[in-house]
Amino acid sequence: PLEQVMTTVVQGFKMTTEAIQDLRVQQASLAQKLQQQARAAYHGMTGSGKSRYTVELVKIESEQNPRGAQARVAETLGVTPGRVTQLLNSDKNRKNGK
């Protein structure tokens, strides 16, 4: 009986580990898809649209963790952190923002 219990426990751990690995793969796939969609949206916009979109993304990231929000947005969009700063500080884009 003890061997059966141990076998059952080991099988349970293996199944749990496999389920966790499957969830991680699904989560990575979803994150990649969201990143591709964000990049496509960004590259399909005009200058002031890019600025407003970037501002919103930075605002969302800042709510979760303000430290490094601009760098995470830059990585998501596939641009440099300097470009994100430029978009956030642009007078022209702020004036044209609706």
Side-chain angles (χ1 to χ4, degrees), residues 51 70 81-91 93:
S51 179
Q70 289 184 21
R83 178 64 178 142
V84 171
T85 301
Q86 189 179 41
L87 287 167
L88 295 177
N89 295 332
S90 171
D91 285 336
N93 290 335

Side-chain angles (χ1 to χ4, degrees), residues 20 35 38 44 60 71 92 94:
I20 289 171
Q35 186 177 39
I60 291 167
K92 176 186 166 200
R94 259 190 279 143

Side-chain angles (χ1 to χ4, degrees), residues 52-80:
R52 291 191 305 269
Y53 183 66
T54 304
V55 167
E56 287 300 317
L57 288 178
V58 170
K59 198 180 298 182
I60 291 167
E61 281 292 326
S62 293
E63 289 172 1
Q64 294 174 1
N65 182 5
R67 188 169 177 90
Q70 289 184 21
R72 288 191 303 275
V73 169
E75 184 179 325
T76 299
L77 296 178
V79 298
T80 64

Side-chain angles (χ1 to χ4, degrees), residues 14 27 67:
K14 285 182 183 177
Q27 187 177 17
R67 188 169 177 90

Side-chain angles (χ1 to χ4, degrees), residues 31-51:
Q32 183 180 14
K33 184 184 259 186
L34 290 173
Q35 186 177 39
Q36 289 172 340
Q37 289 173 344
R39 284 183 182 177
Y42 173 81
H43 289 294
M45 295 177 177
T46 61
S48 60
K50 286 181 180 181
S51 179

